[in-house]
Amino acid sequence: PGQSVLAADGYIDGGPGVWSFMPALCAGPRGDLCLVYTRCATNELPSMCFTLRDAVTGVWSPPTVVKASSQPSLQNGPRPR
């Protein structure tokens, strides 16, 4: 029912040389948003991060690391079972 409208857009700027990718967005019943994504850099292993946007203020929280990789994945292709 109804149409979706893009009310705002933007990007995650982790600084020079920091890549942010694989986003997932979840909306709460009040209109709050949670954005989960992965970030990495040449000197930083991939990390799973999130940031929250308050529906009332429209302000995004500072990014928080949920889980940081402990070692690089050097494997190509499917992982063995």
Coordinates of all heavy atoms in Angstrom, one line a residue:
P1 N 0.8 -1.2 0.0 CA 0.0 0.0 0.0 C 0.9 1.2 0.0 O 1.8 1.4 0.8 CB -0.8 -0.1 1.3 CG -0.4 -1.4 2.0 CD 0.7 -2.0 1.2
G2 N 0.6 2.1 -0.9 CA 1.4 3.4 -0.9 C 2.7 3.2 -1.7 O 3.0 2.1 -2.0
Q3 N 3.3 4.3 -1.9 CA 4.6 4.2 -2.6 C 5.7 4.6 -1.7 O 5.6 5.4 -0.8 CB 4.6 5.2 -3.8 CG 3.6 4.8 -4.9 CD 3.7 5.8 -6.1 OE1 4.1 6.9 -5.9 NE2 3.3 5.3 -7.2
S4 N 6.9 4.0 -2.0 CA 8.1 4.4 -1.2 C 8.7 5.7 -1.8 O 8.6 5.9 -3.0 CB 9.1 3.3 -1.3 OG 8.6 2.1 -0.8
V5 N 9.2 6.5 -0.9 CA 9.8 7.8 -1.3 C 11.2 7.9 -0.7 O 11.4 7.6 0.5 CB 9.0 9.0 -0.9 CG1 9.6 10.3 -1.2 CG2 7.6 8.9 -1.4
L6 N 12.2 8.2 -1.5 CA 13.5 8.4 -1.0 C 13.6 9.9 -0.5 O 13.5 10.8 -1.2 CB 14.6 8.3 -2.2 CG 16.0 8.6 -1.8 CD1 16.5 7.6 -0.7 CD2 16.9 8.5 -3.0
A7 N 13.6 10.0 0.9 CA 13.6 11.3 1.5 C 15.0 11.8 1.7 O 15.2 13.0 1.9 CB 12.9 11.2 2.9
A8 N 16.0 11.0 1.7 CA 17.4 11.4 1.9 C 18.3 10.4 1.4 O 18.0 9.2 1.3 CB 17.7 11.6 3.4
D9 N 19.5 10.8 1.1 CA 20.6 9.8 0.6 C 21.9 10.3 1.2 O 22.0 11.5 1.6 CB 20.6 9.6 -0.9 CG 21.0 10.8 -1.6 OD1 21.0 12.0 -1.1 OD2 21.3 10.7 -2.8
G10 N 22.9 9.5 1.1 CA 24.2 9.9 1.6 C 25.2 8.8 1.4 O 24.9 7.8 0.7
Y11 N 26.3 8.9 2.1 CA 27.3 7.8 2.0 C 28.1 7.8 3.3 O 28.0 8.7 4.2 CB 28.3 8.1 0.9 CG 29.0 9.4 1.0 CD1 30.2 9.5 1.6 CD2 28.4 10.6 0.5 CE1 30.9 10.8 1.7 CE2 29.1 11.8 0.6 CZ 30.3 11.9 1.2 OH 30.9 13.1 1.3
I12 N 28.8 6.7 3.5 CA 29.6 6.5 4.7 C 31.0 6.8 4.4 O 31.6 6.3 3.5 CB 29.5 5.0 5.2 CG1 28.1 4.6 5.5 CG2 30.4 4.8 6.4 CD1 27.9 3.1 5.7
D13 N 31.5 7.8 5.0 CA 32.9 8.3 4.7 C 33.8 7.9 5.9 O 33.8 8.5 6.9 CB 32.9 9.8 4.5 CG 34.3 10.3 4.1 OD1 35.3 9.5 4.0 OD2 34.4 11.5 3.9
G14 N 34.5 6.8 5.7 CA 35.4 6.3 6.8 C 36.8 6.9 6.7 O 37.6 6.6 7.5
G15 N 37.0 7.8 5.8 CA 38.3 8.5 5.6 C 39.0 8.0 4.4 O 38.6 7.1 3.7
P16 N 40.2 8.6 4.1 CA 40.9 8.2 2.9 C 41.3 6.7 3.0 O 41.8 6.3 4.0 CB 42.2 9.1 3.0 CG 41.8 10.2 3.9 CD 40.8 9.7 4.9
G17 N 41.1 6.0 1.9 CA 41.5 4.6 1.8 C 40.6 3.6 2.5 O 41.0 2.5 2.6
V18 N 39.5 4.1 3.1 CA 38.7 3.1 3.9 C 37.5 2.8 3.0 O 36.8 3.7 2.5 CB 38.2 3.7 5.2 CG1 37.2 2.8 5.9 CG2 39.4 4.1 6.1
W19 N 37.2 1.6 2.8 CA 36.1 1.1 1.9 C 34.9 0.6 2.8 O 35.1 -0.1 3.8 CB 36.5 0.0 1.0 CG 37.6 0.4 0.0 CD1 38.9 0.4 0.2 CD2 37.3 0.9 -1.2 NE1 39.5 0.9 -0.9 CE2 38.6 1.2 -1.8 CE3 36.2 1.2 -2.0 CZ2 38.7 1.8 -3.1 CZ3 36.3 1.7 -3.3 CH2 37.6 2.0 -3.8
S20 N 33.7 1.1 2.5 CA 32.5 0.6 3.1 C 31.6 -0.1 2.1 O 31.4 0.4 1.0 CB 31.7 1.8 3.7 OG 32.5 2.4 4.7
F21 N 31.2 -1.3 2.4 CA 30.4 -2.1 1.4 C 29.5 -3.1 2.1 O 29.5 -3.2 3.3 CB 31.4 -2.8 0.4 CG 32.5 -3.6 1.1 CD1 32.3 -5.0 1.3 CD2 33.6 -3.0 1.6 CE1 33.3 -5.7 1.9 CE2 34.6 -3.7 2.2 CZ 34.4 -5.1 2.4
M22 N 28.7 -3.8 1.3 CA 27.7 -4.8 1.8 C 26.7 -4.2 2.8 O 26.6 -4.8 3.9 CB 28.4 -6.1 2.4 CG 29.2 -6.8 1.3 SD 30.0 -8.4 1.9 CE 29.6 -8.7 3.5
P23 N 26.0 -3.1 2.5 CA 25.1 -2.5 3.4 C 23.8 -3.3 3.6 O 23.4 -4.0 2.7 CB 24.8 -1.2 2.8 CG 24.9 -1.4 1.3 CD 26.1 -2.4 1.2
A24 N 23.2 -3.3 4.7 CA 21.9 -3.8 5.0 C 21.2 -2.7 5.9 O 21.8 -2.2 6.8 CB 22.0 -5.1 5.7
L25 N 20.0 -2.4 5.5 CA 19.2 -1.4 6.2 C 18.0 -2.0 6.8 O 17.2 -2.8 6.2 CB 18.8 -0.3 5.2 CG 18.2 1.0 5.8 CD1 19.2 1.7 6.7 CD2 17.8 1.9 4.6
C26 N 17.7 -1.6 8.1 CA 16.5 -2.1 8.8 C 15.8 -0.9 9.4 O 16.4 -0.1 10.0 CB 16.9 -3.1 9.8 SG 15.5 -3.8 10.7
A27 N 14.5 -0.8 9.2 CA 13.7 0.3 9.7 C 12.8 -0.2 10.9 O 12.2 -1.3 10.8 CB 12.8 0.9 8.7
G28 N 12.8 0.5 12.0 CA 12.0 0.2 13.1 C 10.6 0.8 13.0 O 10.3 1.6 12.1
P29 N 9.7 0.4 13.9 CA 8.3 0.9 13.8 C 8.1 2.4 13.9 O 7.2 3.0 13.4 CB 7.5 0.1 14.9 CG 8.6 -0.4 15.8 CD 9.9 -0.5 15.0
R30 N 9.0 3.1 14.6 CA 9.0 4.5 14.8 C 9.7 5.3 13.7 O 9.7 6.5 13.6 CB 9.6 5.0 16.1 CG 9.0 4.4 17.4 CD 9.6 5.0 18.6 NE 11.0 5.1 18.5 CZ 11.7 6.2 18.8 NH1 11.1 7.3 19.1 NH2 13.1 6.3 18.7
G31 N 10.3 4.5 12.8 CA 11.1 5.2 11.7 C 12.5 5.3 11.9 O 13.3 5.8 11.1
D32 N 13.0 4.7 13.1 CA 14.4 4.6 13.3 C 15.1 3.7 12.3 O 14.4 2.8 11.8 CB 14.7 4.1 14.7 CG 14.2 5.0 15.8 OD1 14.3 6.2 15.7 OD2 13.6 4.4 16.8
L33 N 16.3 3.9 12.0 CA 17.0 3.1 11.0 C 18.3 2.5 11.6 O 19.0 3.2 12.4 CB 17.4 3.9 9.8 CG 16.3 4.5 8.9 CD1 16.9 5.4 7.8 CD2 15.5 3.4 8.4
C34 N 18.6 1.3 11.2 CA 19.9 0.7 11.6 C 20.6 0.3 10.3 O 20.0 -0.4 9.4 CB 19.7 -0.6 12.4 SG 21.2 -1.4 12.8
L35 N 21.8 0.7 10.1 CA 22.6 0.4 8.9 C 23.7 -0.5 9.3 O 24.6 0.0 10.2 CB 23.1 1.7 8.2 CG 24.0 1.5 7.0 CD1 23.3 0.8 5.9 CD2 24.6 2.8 6.6
V36 N 23.8 -1.7 8.8 CA 24.9 -2.6 9.1 C 25.7 -2.7 7.8 O 25.2 -2.8 6.7 CB 24.4 -4.0 9.5 CG1 25.5 -4.9 9.7 CG2 23.5 -3.9 10.7
Y37 N 27.1 -2.7 7.9 CA 27.9 -2.7 6.7 C 29.3 -3.3 7.1 O 29.6 -3.4 8.3 CB 28.1 -1.3 6.1 CG 28.7 -0.3 7.0 CD1 30.0 0.0 6.9 CD2 27.9 0.4 8.0 CE1 30.6 0.9 7.8 CE2 28.5 1.3 8.8 CZ 29.9 1.5 8.7 OH 30.4 2.4 9.6
T38 N 30.1 -3.5 6.1 CA 31.5 -4.0 6.3 C 32.4 -2.9 5.9 O 32.1 -2.2 4.9 CB 31.7 -5.2 5.5 OG1 30.8 -6.2 5.8 CG2 33.2 -5.8 5.7
R39 N 33.5 -2.7 6.6 CA 34.5 -1.7 6.2 C 35.9 -2.4 6.3 O 36.1 -3.3 7.0 CB 34.5 -0.5 7.0 CG 35.1 -0.6 8.4 CD 35.2 0.7 9.1 NE 36.0 0.5 10.3 CZ 35.9 1.3 11.4 NH1 35.1 2.3 11.4 NH2 36.7 1.0 12.4
C40 N 36.8 -1.9 5.4 CA 38.2 -2.4 5.5 C 39.1 -1.3 4.8 O 38.6 -0.4 4.2 CB 38.3 -3.7 4.8 SG 38.1 -3.7 3.1
A41 N 40.3 -1.5 4.9 CA 41.3 -0.6 4.3 C 42.6 -1.5 4.0 O 42.7 -2.6 4.5 CB 41.7 0.6 5.2
T42 N 43.5 -0.9 3.3 CA 44.8 -1.7 3.1 C 45.5 -2.1 4.3 O 46.1 -3.1 4.4 CB 45.7 -0.9 2.2 OG1 46.0 0.4 2.8 CG2 45.1 -0.7 0.8
N43 N 45.3 -1.3 5.4 CA 46.0 -1.6 6.7 C 45.0 -2.0 7.8 O 45.3 -2.0 8.9 CB 46.8 -0.4 7.1 CG 46.0 0.8 7.4 OD1 44.8 0.8 7.0 ND2 46.5 1.8 8.0
E44 N 43.7 -2.4 7.3 CA 42.7 -2.7 8.3 C 41.9 -3.9 7.8 O 41.4 -3.9 6.6 CB 41.7 -1.6 8.5 CG 40.5 -1.8 9.4 CD 39.5 -0.7 9.4 OE1 39.9 0.5 9.1 OE2 38.4 -1.0 9.8
L45 N 41.9 -5.0 8.5 CA 41.1 -6.2 8.1 C 39.6 -5.8 8.1 O 39.2 -4.9 8.8 CB 41.4 -7.3 9.1 CG 42.8 -7.9 9.1 CD1 43.0 -8.9 10.2 CD2 43.1 -8.5 7.8
P46 N 38.8 -6.6 7.4 CA 37.3 -6.3 7.4 C 36.7 -6.3 8.8 O 37.1 -7.1 9.6 CB 36.8 -7.4 6.5 CG 37.9 -7.8 5.7 CD 39.1 -7.7 6.5
S47 N 35.8 -5.4 9.0 CA 35.1 -5.3 10.2 C 33.6 -5.1 9.9 O 33.2 -4.4 9.0 CB 35.5 -4.1 11.1 OG 36.8 -4.2 11.5
M48 N 32.7 -5.7 10.7 CA 31.3 -5.5 10.6 C 30.9 -4.4 11.6 O 31.3 -4.4 12.7 CB 30.6 -6.8 11.1 CG 29.1 -6.7 11.1 SD 28.4 -8.2 11.8 CE 26.7 -7.7 12.1
C49 N 30.2 -3.4 11.0 CA 29.9 -2.2 11.8 C 28.4 -1.9 11.7 O 27.7 -2.4 10.8 CB 30.7 -1.0 11.2 SG 32.5 -1.2 11.2
F50 N 28.0 -1.0 12.5 CA 26.6 -0.5 12.4 C 26.5 1.0 12.9 O 27.4 1.5 13.6 CB 25.6 -1.3 13.2 CG 25.6 -1.1 14.7 CD1 24.8 -0.1 15.3 CD2 26.5 -1.8 15.6 CE1 24.8 0.2 16.6 CE2 26.5 -1.5 16.9 CZ 25.7 -0.6 17.5
T51 N 25.5 1.6 12.4 CA 25.2 3.0 12.8 C 23.7 3.1 12.9 O 23.0 2.4 12.2 CB 25.8 4.1 11.9 OG1 25.5 5.4 12.4 CG2 25.3 3.9 10.5
L52 N 23.2 3.9 13.8 CA 21.7 4.1 14.0 C 21.3 5.5 13.7 O 22.0 6.5 14.0 CB 21.4 3.8 15.5 CG 21.8 2.4 16.0 CD1 21.5 2.3 17.5 CD2 21.0 1.3 15.2
R53 N 20.1 5.6 13.1 CA 19.6 7.0 12.8 C 18.3 7.1 13.6 O 17.3 6.4 13.5 CB 19.3 7.2 11.3 CG 18.7 8.5 11.0 CD 18.4 8.6 9.5 NE 17.7 9.8 9.2 CZ 16.4 10.0 9.2 NH1 15.6 9.1 9.7 NH2 15.9 11.2 8.9
D54 N 18.2 8.1 14.4 CA 17.1 8.4 15.2 C 16.0 9.1 14.4 O 16.3 10.0 13.6 CB 17.4 9.4 16.4 CG 16.3 9.7 17.3 OD1 15.5 10.6 17.0 OD2 16.2 8.9 18.3
A55 N 14.8 8.6 14.5 CA 13.7 9.0 13.6 C 13.3 10.5 14.0 O 12.9 11.2 13.1 CB 12.4 8.2 13.8
V56 N 13.4 10.9 15.2 CA 13.0 12.2 15.6 C 14.1 13.3 15.2 O 13.7 14.3 14.6 CB 12.8 12.3 17.1 CG1 12.5 13.7 17.6 CG2 11.7 11.3 17.5
T57 N 15.3 13.0 15.5 CA 16.4 14.0 15.3 C 17.0 13.9 13.9 O 17.5 14.8 13.4 CB 17.5 13.9 16.3 OG1 18.2 12.6 16.1 CG2 17.0 14.0 17.7
G58 N 16.9 12.7 13.3 CA 17.5 12.5 12.0 C 19.0 12.3 12.1 O 19.7 12.3 11.1
V59 N 19.6 12.2 13.3 CA 21.0 12.2 13.5 C 21.5 10.7 13.5 O 20.9 9.9 14.1 CB 21.4 12.9 14.8 CG1 22.9 12.7 15.1 CG2 21.0 14.4 14.8
W60 N 22.6 10.5 12.8 CA 23.2 9.1 12.8 C 24.2 9.0 13.9 O 24.9 10.0 14.2 CB 23.9 8.9 11.5 CG 23.0 8.7 10.3 CD1 22.6 9.6 9.4 CD2 22.5 7.4 9.9 NE1 21.8 9.0 8.5 CE2 21.7 7.7 8.7 CE3 22.5 6.1 10.4 CZ2 21.0 6.7 8.1 CZ3 21.8 5.1 9.7 CH2 21.1 5.4 8.6
S61 N 24.2 7.9 14.6 CA 25.2 7.7 15.7 C 26.6 7.4 15.0 O 26.7 7.0 13.9 CB 24.8 6.5 16.5 OG 24.8 5.3 15.7
P62 N 27.6 7.6 15.8 CA 29.0 7.2 15.3 C 29.0 5.7 15.0 O 28.4 4.9 15.7 CB 29.9 7.6 16.5 CG 29.1 8.5 17.3 CD 27.7 8.2 17.2
P63 N 29.7 5.3 14.0 CA 29.8 3.9 13.7 C 30.4 3.1 14.8 O 31.3 3.6 15.5 CB 30.8 3.9 12.5 CG 30.7 5.2 11.9 CD 30.4 6.2 13.0
T64 N 29.9 1.9 15.0 CA 30.3 1.0 16.1 C 30.8 -0.3 15.4 O 30.0 -0.8 14.6 CB 29.2 0.7 17.1 OG1 28.8 2.0 17.6 CG2 29.7 -0.2 18.2
V65 N 31.9 -0.8 15.8 CA 32.4 -2.1 15.3 C 31.7 -3.2 16.1 O 31.8 -3.2 17.3 CB 33.9 -2.2 15.4 CG1 34.4 -3.6 15.0 CG2 34.6 -1.2 14.5
V66 N 31.1 -4.1 15.4 CA 30.4 -5.3 16.0 C 31.4 -6.4 16.1 O 31.5 -7.0 17.2 CB 29.2 -5.7 15.2 CG1 28.6 -7.0 15.8 CG2 28.2 -4.6 15.1
K67 N 32.1 -6.7 15.0 CA 33.1 -7.8 15.0 C 34.2 -7.4 14.0 O 33.9 -7.1 12.9 CB 32.4 -9.0 14.5 CG 33.3 -10.2 14.4 CD 33.7 -10.8 15.7 CE 34.5 -12.1 15.5 NZ 35.1 -12.5 16.7
A68 N 35.4 -7.4 14.5 CA 36.6 -7.2 13.6 C 37.2 -8.5 13.3 O 37.3 -9.5 14.1 CB 37.6 -6.3 14.4
S69 N 37.7 -8.7 12.0 CA 38.4 -9.9 11.6 C 39.7 -10.0 12.4 O 40.4 -9.0 12.6 CB 38.6 -9.8 10.1 OG 37.4 -9.8 9.4
S70 N 40.0 -11.3 12.7 CA 41.2 -11.5 13.5 C 42.4 -11.9 12.5 O 43.5 -11.9 12.9 CB 41.0 -12.6 14.5 OG 40.6 -13.8 13.9
Q71 N 42.0 -12.3 11.3 CA 43.1 -12.7 10.3 C 42.5 -12.5 8.9 O 41.3 -12.6 8.8 CB 43.5 -14.1 10.6 CG 42.5 -15.2 10.4 CD 43.0 -16.5 10.8 OE1 44.0 -16.7 11.4 NE2 42.2 -17.5 10.4
P72 N 43.4 -12.3 8.0 CA 42.9 -12.2 6.6 C 42.4 -13.5 6.1 O 42.8 -14.6 6.5 CB 44.1 -11.7 5.8 CG 45.2 -12.2 6.6 CD 44.8 -12.2 8.0
S73 N 41.4 -13.5 5.2 CA 40.9 -14.7 4.5 C 41.7 -14.7 3.1 O 41.5 -13.9 2.3 CB 39.4 -14.6 4.2 OG 39.0 -15.7 3.5
L74 N 42.5 -15.7 3.0 CA 43.3 -15.9 1.8 C 42.8 -16.9 0.9 O 43.4 -17.3 -0.1 CB 44.8 -16.2 2.2 CG 45.5 -15.2 3.2 CD1 46.8 -15.7 3.6 CD2 45.6 -13.9 2.5
Q75 N 41.6 -17.4 1.1 CA 41.0 -18.4 0.4 C 40.2 -17.9 -0.8 O 39.4 -16.9 -0.6 CB 40.0 -19.2 1.3 CG 39.7 -20.5 0.8 CD 39.0 -21.3 1.9 OE1 38.6 -20.8 2.9 NE2 38.9 -22.6 1.8
N76 N 40.3 -18.5 -1.9 CA 39.5 -18.2 -3.1 C 38.5 -19.3 -3.4 O 38.8 -20.4 -3.2 CB 40.4 -18.0 -4.4 CG 41.3 -16.8 -4.2 OD1 40.9 -15.7 -3.7 ND2 42.5 -16.9 -4.7
G77 N 37.3 -18.9 -3.8 CA 36.3 -19.9 -4.1 C 35.6 -20.4 -2.9 O 35.7 -19.9 -1.8
P78 N 34.8 -21.5 -3.0 CA 34.0 -22.0 -1.9 C 34.9 -22.6 -0.8 O 36.0 -23.1 -1.1 CB 33.2 -23.1 -2.5 CG 33.4 -23.1 -4.0 CD 34.6 -22.2 -4.3
R79 N 34.4 -22.4 0.4 CA 35.2 -23.0 1.6 C 34.9 -24.5 1.7 O 33.7 -24.9 1.5 CB 34.7 -22.2 2.8 CG 35.2 -20.8 2.8 CD 34.7 -20.1 4.1 NE 35.1 -18.7 4.0 CZ 35.7 -18.1 4.9 NH1 36.1 -18.7 6.0 NH2 36.0 -16.8 4.7
P80 N 35.9 -25.2 2.1 CA 35.7 -26.7 2.3 C 34.8 -26.9 3.5 O 34.8 -26.1 4.4 CB 37.0 -27.2 2.5 CG 37.9 -26.1 2.9 CD 37.3 -24.8 2.3
R81 N 34.0 -28.0 3.5 CA 33.1 -28.3 4.6 C 33.8 -29.2 5.6 O 34.6 -30.0 5.4 CB 31.8 -28.9 4.1 CG 31.1 -27.9 3.3 CD 29.8 -28.5 2.8 NE 29.2 -27.6 1.9 CZ 28.0 -27.4 1.7 NH1 27.1 -28.1 2.5 NH2 27.5 -26.5 0.9

